[in-house]
């Protein structure tokens, strides 16, 4: 969702901010804008469309200045348009602000300000907040920082804001609650952004701003305060991220690059943790809390989207290996329905970005009710990672393509290791099975490499079915959530309507959809459900449905019935989703490309869903 970039220091701000906004494009947006201050005043440029449209709009204009703030907007209040794009300017023309988040009580504040004669040139909640700050500053004759602090105490909602005053060309004031903000520390310069990707080539030293903190950022100074005006000590973290991780590296799309990175990202996730030779799994977050985890009365997986699918697979694995009851909850539902949380409940939060608003708020309320929170997160230092009591990173590196691919397999790898560790501690797994599953996990990166070695068959299948208006994805057991994930990927990348179902459920309704025009994708690898799924394939063929199967290398039965087959190497059924998901990622990628869509930035979607 909205991306935020700011720069203050000796360099020209414009190129840094523009390049930073391009790096944040993956978050999803519909308009972009920038404000710059130089000796002749403040210049604000904003445009509906892409950052390149903004660049065009600034051609020949004054873009000089050593202080700048830029924004990519994903519309919430008000349609995508030039006037709703950020930055917004205060009524007196002195202040400029960008904002990521939603101000829930903006309507009453807007009324208050309108009564005082304020005019609004956009439909946004941001412009309301900005004029509210201006009003407080004037009425109280106080500093901008003080006015912001007073305003933030009055507002309800989520925000990350950057604020500049045209009369002060050496300060950016920033604040956050619920929306991410990271500050990069350079030599005599500072960078501000929604994540570190915009400034990774300039500095690796960062400060993650916490909720309810205000940052006063000057070229050579960073002051952090809480809303009570007390100074906070900035905690500097060293980033372990290279520029190459946020570039396409020769691939046509980030999504394709990230699919192909999976042998190494899964390897990185297992490295130093899965010690097959000694039969040990080393994960500090679990080791330090093994009593809580092994004695959990119940585990609740809380997540959204693809991460929720990882939770569903983990439900099967945890219940099988650890014999602990598991529930998998959509964060957005969990947070609003006053769930019962008892002592001894463990919440496992799964999130790539670590910033998903629904997941974050669900965790905050579960934490307040006394639950132990374990985060399975990809983005290092993100909000979910920080509010969790303990956790394990997936180490997949920055995921830029909007569709989650490598983060999903990273989540599965972490959750499998976690289940194995807990099962071992509880004594619910035999030594043989434990070692065997460790070896199976260890073999995954090589097996993924085998799938990726030649993808021409999957590409051809994608081209054959690309014009289908609908598709059904079916699977059983561990492969049922894989079917859901396959359907989600196809929907978001190719805009084809797709449904995922447990294959046996088909007879209870969805089979009515089957015609000779409907592609039905079966995830039908060799597992304990195999015979059953063979029957389900026959039921579809008997109704002339077109069957695309994901089958195990060496299987001849499924391929003989299917119209088209994508093969994956054999694996234990607990581990198989790490493999069977890969052809489905590629299928949706190639369908999206064949249809000419922007697979890295599908319409309406945002990478990091920081609003509810
Ligand atoms: C789908 C996708 C989304 C995310 C969901 C949760 O490809 O990427 O469904 O999985 O928005 O995001 P995170 O994992 O960042 O909490």
């Amino acid at each position: 969702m909205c991306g935020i970039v700011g720069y203050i220091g000796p360099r020209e701000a414009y190129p840094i901010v523009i390049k930073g906004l391009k790096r944040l494009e993956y978050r999803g947006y519909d308009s972009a804008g920038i404000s710059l201050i130089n000796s002749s005043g403040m210049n604000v440029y904003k445009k509906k469309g892409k950052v390149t449209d903004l660049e065009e709009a600034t051609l020949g204009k004054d873009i000089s200045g050593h202080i700048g703030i830029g924004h990519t907007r994903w519309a919430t209040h008000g349609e995508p348009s030039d006037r709703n794009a950020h930055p917004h300017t205060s009524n007196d023309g002195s202040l400029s602000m960008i904002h990521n988040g939603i101000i829930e009580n903006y309507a009453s504040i807007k009324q208050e300000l309108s009564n005082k004669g304020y005019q609004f040139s956009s439909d946004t909640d941001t412009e309301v907040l900005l004029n509210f700050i201006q009003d407080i500053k004037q009425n109280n004759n106080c500093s901008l920082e003080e006015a912001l602090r007073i305003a933030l105490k009055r507002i309800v909602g989520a925000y990350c804001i950057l604020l500049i005053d045209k009369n002060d060309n050496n300060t950016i004031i920033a604040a956050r609650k619920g929306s991410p903000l990271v500050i990069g520390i350079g030599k005599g310069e500072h960078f501000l952004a929604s994540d570190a990707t915009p400034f990774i080539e300039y500095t690796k030293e960062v400060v993650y701003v916490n909720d309810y903190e205000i940052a006063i950022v000057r070229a050579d100074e960073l002051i952090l305060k809480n809303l009570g005006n007390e100074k906070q000590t900035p905690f500097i973290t060293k980033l372990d991220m290279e520029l190459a991780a946020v570039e396409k590296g020769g691939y046509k799309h980030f999504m394709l690059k990230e699919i192909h990175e999976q042998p190494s990202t899964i390897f990185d996730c297992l490295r130093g943790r899965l010690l097959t030779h000694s039969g040990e799994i080393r994960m500090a977050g679990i080791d330090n809390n093994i009593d809580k985890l092994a004695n959990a009365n119940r585990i609740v997986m809380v997540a959204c989207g693809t991460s929720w699918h990882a939770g569903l697979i983990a439900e099967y694995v945890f219940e099988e290996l650890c014999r602990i009851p598991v529930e998998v909850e959509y964060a957005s539902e969990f947070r609003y329905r006053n769930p019962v949380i008892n002592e001894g409940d463990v919440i496992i939060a799964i999130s790539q970005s670590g910033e998903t608003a629904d997941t974050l708020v669900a965790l905050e309320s579960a934490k307040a009710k006394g639950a132990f929170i374990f985060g399975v997160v990809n983005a290092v230092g993100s909000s979910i990672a920080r509010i969790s009591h303990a956790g394990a990173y997936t180490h997949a590196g920055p995921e830029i393509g909007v569709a989650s691919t490598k983060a999903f397999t990273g989540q599965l790898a972490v959750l499998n290791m976690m289940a194995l560790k807990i099962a071992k501690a509880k004594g619910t797994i035999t030594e043989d099975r434990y070692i065997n599953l460790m070896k199976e996990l260890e073999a995954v990166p090589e097996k993924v490499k085998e799938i990726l070695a030649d993808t021409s068959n999957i590409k051809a299948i994608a081209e054959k079915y690309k014009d289908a208006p609908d598709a059904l994805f079916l699977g059983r057991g561990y492969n049922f959530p894989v079917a859901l994930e396959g359907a989600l990927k196809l929907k978001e990348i190719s805009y084809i309507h797709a449904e995922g179902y447990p294959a046996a459920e088909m007879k209870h309704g969805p089979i009515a959809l089957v015609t000779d025009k409907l592609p039905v994708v079966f995830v039908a690898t060799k597992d304990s459900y195999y015979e059953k799924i063979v029957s389900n394939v026959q039921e579809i063929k008997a109704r002339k449905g077109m069957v695309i199967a994901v089958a195990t290398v060496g299987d001849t039965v499924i391929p003989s019935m299917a119209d088209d087959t994508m093969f994956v190497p054999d694996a234990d059924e607990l581990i198989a989703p790490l493999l069977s998901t890969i052809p489905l990622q590629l299928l949706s990628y190639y369908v999206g490309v064949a249809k000419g869509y922007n697979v890295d930035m599908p319409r309406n979607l945002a990478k990091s869903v920081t609003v509810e």
Side-chain angles (χ1 to χ4, degrees):
M1 294 209 151
C2 307
I4 275 181
V5 183
Y7 174 78
I8 183 161
R11 307 177 209 237
E12 282 297 317
Y14 179 87
I16 293 174
V17 173
I18 291 289
K19 189 166 63 174
L21 291 179
K22 286 183 179 166
R23 293 249 177 90
L24 292 181
E25 283 187 315
Y26 76 92
R27 297 169 72 89
Y29 73 109
D30 43 56
S31 51
I34 187 168
S35 286
L36 301 147
I37 300 177
N38 59 28
S39 51
S40 49
M42 184 162 70
N43 293 305
V44 182
Y45 307 105
K46 45 196 206 167
K47 201 77 201 142
K48 179 181 166 190
K50 297 290 170 201
V51 179
T52 45
D53 297 314
L54 172 66
E55 281 181 290
E56 246 170 62
T58 58
L59 282 176
K61 305 261 172 67
D62 181 359
I63 52 166
S64 64
H66 300 281
I67 170 169
I69 57 174
H71 190 261
T72 48
R73 172 175 188 256
W74 189 88
T76 53
H77 286 82
E79 57 168 13
S81 63
D82 289 358
R83 66 189 197 92
N84 284 332
H86 299 206
H88 290 284
T89 307
S90 58
N91 269 206
D92 68 358
S94 68
L95 308 177
S96 180
M97 188 170 95
I98 55 180
H99 166 221
N100 174 9
I102 290 183
I103 307 303
E104 287 168 19
N105 58 340
Y106 83 101
S108 59
I109 298 173
K110 187 170 187 178
Q111 190 57 56
E112 235 176 79
L113 293 171
S114 299
N115 295 344
K116 290 181 176 179
Y118 278 84
Q119 304 284 322
F120 297 93
S121 54
S122 78
D123 309 316
T124 65
D125 50 346
T126 306
E127 195 189 8
V128 174
L129 174 58
L130 177 60
N131 282 302
F132 187 42
I133 296 166
Q134 182 212 299
D135 192 56
I136 294 170
K137 185 169 179 278
Q138 274 166 2
N139 290 341
N140 295 291
N141 196 17
C142 62
S143 69
L144 182 57
E145 179 198 329
E146 184 58 25
L148 174 65
R149 201 172 5 257
I150 296 169
L152 294 183
K153 286 184 187 160
R154 269 277 313 271
I155 61 164
V156 178
Y159 54 81
C160 165
I161 57 178
L162 301 191
L163 181 59
I164 52 176
D165 180 340
K166 76 169 181 191
N167 303 309
D168 178 358
N169 66 0
N170 190 28
T171 313
I172 298 176
I173 301 189
R176 81 154 262 179
K177 190 209 145 204
S179 292
L181 174 61
V182 53
I183 300 178
I185 311 202
K187 287 195 174 58
E189 60 186 349
H190 284 102
F191 307 82
L192 302 96
S194 304
D195 64 45
T197 55
F199 55 75
I200 190 66
E201 65 267 55
Y202 302 110
T203 179
K204 298 233 173 356
E205 297 205 331
V206 300
V207 171
Y208 293 100
V209 178
N210 291 311
D211 276 351
Y212 304 109
E213 281 181 347
I214 292 181
I216 299 103
V217 189
R218 305 200 169 92
D220 51 6
E221 187 181 35
L222 165 64
I223 301 169
L224 270 189
K225 291 185 179 177
N226 63 17
L227 290 189
N229 200 23
E230 292 158 337
K231 279 199 177 173
Q232 309 291 300
T233 311
F235 180 75
I236 298 177
T237 306
K238 195 131 180 102
L239 284 180
D240 178 21
M241 191 199 292
E242 294 306 325
L243 183 58
V246 296
E247 293 183 332
K248 285 191 196 141
Y251 285 92
K252 203 161 165 226
H253 298 102
F254 280 111
M255 184 178 175
L256 188 62
K257 176 188 176 224
E258 287 158 5
I259 292 172
H260 279 269
E261 276 175 345
Q262 289 176 108
S264 59
T265 54
I266 299 169
F267 180 80
D268 286 345
C269 179
L270 304 176
R271 190 174 47 190
R273 290 168 160 175
L274 188 83
L275 309 176
T276 312
H277 58 280
S278 61
E280 225 186 316
I281 297 175
R282 252 188 234 159
M283 297 171 90
I286 302 175
D287 290 323
N288 298 339
N289 297 284
I290 193 67
D291 288 346
K292 273 195 194 84
L293 294 164
N295 296 318
N297 295 325
R298 180 175 77 130
I299 292 177
V300 186
M301 311 266 175
V302 177
C304 303
T306 290
S307 300
W308 185 80
H309 296 153
L312 275 186
I313 295 171
E315 175 185 27
Y316 284 64
V317 177
F318 274 68
E319 292 204 339
E320 167 71 21
L321 298 182
C322 313
R323 309 309 299 151
I324 301 173
V326 176
E327 284 164 36
V328 189
E329 296 272 2
Y330 284 117
S332 54
E333 292 298 316
F334 183 74
R335 59 175 292 195
Y336 281 118
R337 67 170 173 73
N338 193 15
V340 177
I341 311 251
N342 293 313
E343 213 181 303
D345 285 352
V346 166
I347 307 280
I348 300 184
I350 310 168
S351 176
Q352 187 288 125
S353 62
E355 301 293 348
T356 301
D358 283 321
T359 310
L360 194 54
V361 183
L363 298 184
E364 278 163 357
S365 64
K367 198 173 177 186
K369 288 178 176 169
F372 177 74
I373 314 284
F374 191 94
V376 177
V377 173
N378 192 40
V380 175
S382 56
S383 302
I384 294 175
R386 285 183 298 137
I387 73 152
S388 298
H389 293 109
Y393 283 118
T394 46
H395 293 315
E399 192 177 65
I400 310 285
V402 162
S404 189
T405 53
K406 62 177 181 170
F408 177 66
T409 47
Q411 290 164 348
L412 295 183
V414 164
L415 290 162
N416 273 300
M417 286 191 284
M418 205 176 162
L420 279 171
K421 262 186 97 63
I422 296 172
K424 178 104 195 267
K426 283 193 72 160
T428 48
I429 188 168
T430 64
E431 189 62 19
D432 276 2
R433 180 107 173 95
Y434 174 78
I435 295 291
N436 184 42
L437 282 172
M438 284 183 82
K439 286 186 181 155
E440 285 273 348
L441 256 182
E442 193 176 31
V444 167
E446 276 308 311
K447 289 181 181 176
V448 174
K449 230 185 245 175
E450 279 173 44
I451 302 170
L452 295 172
D454 182 4
T455 60
S456 54
N457 171 44
I458 302 174
K459 188 166 182 242
I461 295 172
E463 278 159 10
K464 178 171 165 190
Y465 294 96
K466 75 175 177 31
D467 295 321
D470 305 280
L472 206 53
F473 284 70
L474 303 174
R476 299 181 80 121
Y478 298 94
N479 277 330
F480 154 54
V482 175
L484 293 182
E485 174 59 9
L488 177 64
K489 286 282 98 85
L490 191 69
K491 266 185 273 215
E492 61 183 336
I493 297 304
S494 70
Y495 315 145
I496 291 176
H497 166 242
E499 303 266 4
Y501 266 96
E505 259 308 291
M506 187 182 71
K507 291 196 280 295
H508 301 282
I511 200 161
L513 297 170
V514 177
T515 65
D516 60 357
K517 307 268 174 318
L518 182 78
V520 183
V521 181
F522 271 95
V523 191
T525 52
K526 282 258 177 158
D527 57 18
S528 52
Y529 306 84
Y530 179 73
E531 303 301 336
K532 302 273 178 212
I533 208 146
V534 166
S535 307
N536 297 140
V537 174
Q538 270 160 350
E539 286 155 8
I540 295 293
K541 286 312 298 174
R543 284 156 187 86
K544 305 212 166 2
M546 298 181 285
V547 170
I548 305 166
V550 177
T552 304
V553 170
D555 182 10
T556 51
V557 178
I558 293 277
S560 71
M561 294 188 294
D563 295 79
D564 293 283
T565 306
M566 304 177 285
F567 287 100
V568 295
D570 189 24
D572 187 284
E573 63 183 0
L574 271 76
I575 307 297
L578 277 149
L579 305 178
S580 50
T581 199
I582 311 278
L584 301 183
Q585 295 172 347
L586 285 161
L587 183 69
S588 51
Y589 170 78
Y590 284 124
V591 172
V593 169
K595 292 178 82 107
Y597 295 142
N598 182 346
V599 293
D600 280 338
M601 278 181 273
R603 69 180 177 217
N604 303 338
L605 288 176
K607 180 69 183 160
S608 182
V609 185
T610 51
V611 296
E612 296 174 42

